[in-house]
Amino acid sequence: QVQAKTCTYRLVPPSPRFFKMRIVTHLKACNNINKSVCPPPKGEGIRYCHYQGCGRVGSAEAVAENLKTIRYAAEAAANNFKVHIITFSELFLQGYTLTMQDVQNLAEEVGGPSLAKVASFAKEFRVAIVIPFAEKATEDGVVKYYDSMALFSNEGVLMRTYRKHVLWGPEEKAKFSPGVEPFETSEVNGVAIGLANCYEAEFPELARAYALQGAKLIMYPTAADVWEWVEFPKKDENGRFVPGTGEKTPKPYPDVSKTCIPARAVDNIAFVAYCNSYGVETDMRGNPMMEFLGNSVVADPHGQVVVRAPHHMETLIVVDCIPSEFKSFHPRKSHYLENLPHAVREELHAVDKRLRTE
């Protein structure tokens, strides 16, 4: 039996900043008085967590502030709920609204100092961490930048670096190179997981590539927005935006948490997590840089959204993802992956092979 509840917790350790953070849970019942301390056993499922918050952007000071948030969220999730993995929204380490100059100044190599701190948090709190970040890499003597994610095990070991393949819009394409690495699953608590990024949730082929490798949880950190700057405002002598200058996007990003995310879950008989931020991202001077939709959700393998974060609240989502509880919902045990036409399977494998060799 799965029990779901939404409530406000007093977390351990306490913090004034996180005192009223909303906790949305969907946890399997167990015999322990404190049900939240009974995560699924190894090989049976994953206790997944996502932090929906709002970080800072655009400076070394912002990165330092974001690292404090990452540490506290990981500690709170591990100590209060014994989660196996926690993830953060797209580019959370340095912030999403980066200029090209910001990317060049703040992007880190995989072994960089900020990522080393995240690895130490994973080891300290015994929780796997997915941290999206701006990556700097030198390839054949050429410096490139990627919209990436690092997955650290609960021992602080780097398990995977995923680079966003399908970049969104002219802004991302101007700042980052597309990833070309194959889609490979990783294992957390004995269960296969897949990583993809924001806009890529709108491409069914990517999730299917993971599902064919046995992924039971697919995670999409995102930065879907209410608005962002098309043209940044002018600044005064104190570095603050001048009211009435600049231009914002004319409409919000589509809320794919209500469309694509449940569809990806049904398509692949897998849990699918969409991991956004909420509120207004600011630089260290308080300038508003963009506003996030705050539409974090987890859909189960039958396409039902089992948890949805409040749009305008800092939230920890905690979900027990137990694949064995979700068989095919078709009569006579029909299963999408088993019945996938051979030609489609061959095409997906050909795409994967091509990515491996390019």
Side-chain angles (χ1 to χ4, degrees):
Q1 180 185 3
V2 174
Q3 295 186 345
K5 58 182 178 179
T6 302
C7 56
T8 300
Y9 287 75
R10 294 190 66 177
L11 297 177
V12 179
S15 166
R17 177 179 173 183
F18 291 84
F19 183 75
K20 293 185 178 180
M21 181 165 60
R22 180 69 65 172
I23 313 295
V24 184
T25 64
H26 194 85
L27 305 178
K28 184 176 176 62
C30 67
N31 294 326
N32 194 292
I33 294 175
N34 184 357
K35 294 180 173 60
S36 69
V37 302
C38 294
K42 186 172 183 179
E44 294 186 15
I46 298 174
R47 180 159 289 180
Y48 163 85
C49 179
H50 166 59
Y51 171 72
Q52 177 179 281
C54 195
R56 297 298 189 93
V57 64
S59 65
E61 293 78 12
V63 174
E65 187 74 13
N66 294 341
L67 282 168
K68 293 178 183 177
T69 300
I70 294 164
R71 187 186 192 283
Y72 182 81
E75 183 179 14
N79 287 352
N80 290 272
F81 298 100
K82 309 298 181 187
V83 302
H84 296 120
I85 188 168
I86 182 171
T87 187
F88 297 82
S89 56
E90 185 178 10
L91 291 172
F92 188 85
L93 181 61
Q94 293 102 339
Y96 181 79
T97 322
L98 299 167
T99 65
M100 187 66 238
Q101 187 65 52
D102 292 335
V103 172
Q104 293 172 346
N105 291 339
L106 299 174
E108 288 193 14
E109 296 180 349
V110 172
S114 298
L115 289 174
K117 289 182 179 179
V118 176
S120 73
F121 303 157
K123 183 176 181 180
E124 180 180 358
F125 304 124
R126 302 293 297 174
V127 59
I129 298 178
V130 175
I131 182 63
F133 72 107
E135 179 189 0
K136 176 181 179 180
T138 303
E139 302 168 358
D140 298 324
V142 178
V143 175
K144 293 185 177 182
Y145 300 95
Y146 295 98
D147 184 343
S148 296
M149 289 180 262
L151 167 61
F152 293 100
S153 74
N154 63 5
E155 296 178 343
V157 176
L158 180 67
M159 299 176 64
R160 176 99 202 272
T161 302
Y162 176 82
R163 294 168 172 172
K164 190 174 186 178
H165 288 66
V166 189
L167 297 169
W168 181 84
E171 294 83 9
E172 287 188 0
K173 292 175 181 177
K175 293 180 286 191
F176 301 109
S177 298
V180 297
E181 296 76 18
F183 295 90
E184 295 179 339
T185 59
S186 303
E187 190 174 288
V188 173
N189 201 46
V191 177
I193 66 170
L195 298 176
N197 197 330
C198 192
Y199 183 44
E200 295 177 327
E202 299 170 47
F203 294 81
E205 301 84 355
L206 308 190
R208 182 55 54 86
Y210 280 128
L212 289 173
Q213 298 176 60
K216 301 302 181 184
L217 169 62
I218 302 171
M219 293 175 282
Y220 294 97
T222 183
D225 62 283
V226 177
W227 62 264
E228 62 177 317
W229 295 111
V230 175
E231 179 182 338
F232 282 101
K234 297 177 181 179
K235 293 183 178 180
D236 62 20
E237 63 275 11
N238 296 314
R240 294 187 175 89
F241 287 164
V242 176
T245 64
E247 181 185 355
K248 296 179 179 179
T249 48
K251 61 181 180 181
Y253 194 87
D255 188 357
V256 303
S257 73
K258 299 176 181 177
T259 53
C260 296
I261 298 307
R264 295 298 82 80
V266 170
D267 289 345
N268 300 292
I269 318 298
F271 288 88
V272 176
Y274 191 64
C275 323
N276 204 355
S277 289
Y278 90 103
V280 178
E281 181 178 70
T282 64
D283 63 16
M284 294 304 288
R285 294 182 181 272
N287 290 315
M289 306 301 284
M290 70 180 294
E291 183 178 358
F292 297 100
L293 281 171
N295 57 342
S296 301
V297 298
V298 177
D300 71 25
H302 287 180
Q304 300 299 310
V305 172
V306 294
V307 293
R308 180 180 294 278
H311 285 283
H312 302 294
M313 293 190 71
E314 189 171 40
T315 307
L316 274 185
I317 281 179
V318 185
V319 178
D320 281 345
C321 302
I322 304 174
S324 64
E325 296 186 344
F326 295 89
K327 307 297 183 183
S328 173
F329 52 80
H330 282 282
R332 301 183 66 82
K333 300 182 179 180
S334 179
H335 195 294
Y336 290 132
L337 300 181
E338 293 172 353
N339 293 317
L340 190 68
H342 178 74
V344 177
R345 283 181 177 271
E346 290 300 307
E347 178 61 26
L348 285 167
H349 287 307
V351 170
D352 184 64
K353 183 177 180 181
R354 186 163 66 250
L355 287 171
R356 291 173 187 269
T357 57
E358 286 181 351

